[in-house]
């Protein structure tokens, strides 16, 4: 079993899609090992997305990610990071493969409904951010 982090973003919590997304995850054989609901402060959102410092979309992204509740969850599965990236699809929903979560429900490249860790190393950092170092 390996671990990864998924966040349900404000555009999806606002549309009552939490249950739908968890259903998609569980049917794809991910186990939800921990879950929270939290409204991020600006400082927390900037820290989480520190890797995007200097990118033109960062300020809008931080405003969006603090605009409502998000649902981070710790997921377990064999090959968790890669399989979750496949399941959610490309960042830009117009480029996401048919059948992926973003193809199905994302609104645009920013309001793209879910975030998933992109490497085992980043998964460890992101899991610790929301669930503490003991969760890794
Ligand atoms: P996420 O997978 O959470 O990683 C960074 C986020 O920035 C991304 O999803 C989008 O919500 C947002 N974003 C907005 N514009 C862009 C862009 N041009 N390229 C990448 N990410 C973007």
């Amino acid at each position: 079993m390996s671990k990864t982090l998924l966040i349900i973003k404000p555009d999806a919590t606002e549309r009552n899609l939490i249950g739908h997304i968890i259903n998609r995850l569980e049917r794809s054989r991910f186990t939800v090992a921990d879950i929270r609901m939290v409204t991020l402060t600006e400082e927390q959102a900037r820290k989480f997305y520190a890797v995007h410092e200097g990118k033109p979309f960062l300020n809008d992204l931080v405003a969006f990610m603090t605009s409502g509740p998000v649902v981070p969850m710790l997921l377990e599965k064999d090959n968790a990071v890669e399989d979750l990236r496949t399941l959610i699809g490309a960042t830009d929903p117009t480029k996401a493969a048919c059948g992926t979560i973003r193809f199905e429900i994302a609104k645009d490249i920013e309001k793209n409904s879910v975030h998933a860790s992109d490497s085992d190393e980043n998964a460890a950092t992101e899991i610790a951010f929301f669930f503490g170092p003991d969760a890794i």
Side-chain angles (χ1 to χ4, degrees):
M1 282 291 170
S2 60
K3 300 180 182 186
T4 192
L5 183 98
L6 178 129
I7 306 174
I8 301 178
K9 297 187 178 184
D11 69 283
T13 59
E14 184 187 28
R15 288 178 286 156
N16 295 328
L17 289 168
I18 297 169
H20 175 77
I21 293 168
I22 292 174
N23 187 256
R24 293 285 319 260
L25 296 168
E26 291 187 332
R27 289 174 64 187
S28 297
R29 301 183 192 163
F30 288 90
T31 296
V32 180
D34 207 346
I35 184 164
R36 299 177 56 191
M37 182 179 248
V38 59
T39 301
L40 296 172
T41 64
E42 180 178 339
E43 187 183 359
Q44 287 171 323
R46 284 193 184 280
K47 188 174 173 202
F48 183 81
Y49 280 119
V51 63
H52 293 302
E53 196 61 60
K55 301 263 179 73
F57 58 81
L58 182 63
N59 285 345
D60 284 349
L61 174 63
V62 168
F64 164 56
M65 290 298 287
T66 56
S67 67
V70 298
V71 179
M73 66 186 87
L74 171 54
L75 297 173
E76 293 179 349
K77 186 185 179 299
D78 291 338
N79 201 34
V81 168
E82 189 183 344
D83 283 0
L84 186 60
R85 300 282 293 184
T86 302
L87 179 62
I88 71 170
T91 305
D92 179 353
T94 66
K95 297 186 176 126
C98 184
T100 60
I101 292 173
R102 283 170 168 162
F103 176 90
E104 183 185 18
I105 64 169
K107 292 174 130 178
D108 55 46
I109 194 169
E110 176 185 81
K111 295 175 180 61
N112 60 0
S113 302
V114 286
H115 165 86
S117 308
D118 63 4
S119 66
D120 286 328
E121 188 187 355
N122 286 340
T125 306
E126 294 180 357
I127 289 165
F129 182 90
F130 285 108
F131 297 104
D134 292 346
I136 300 168

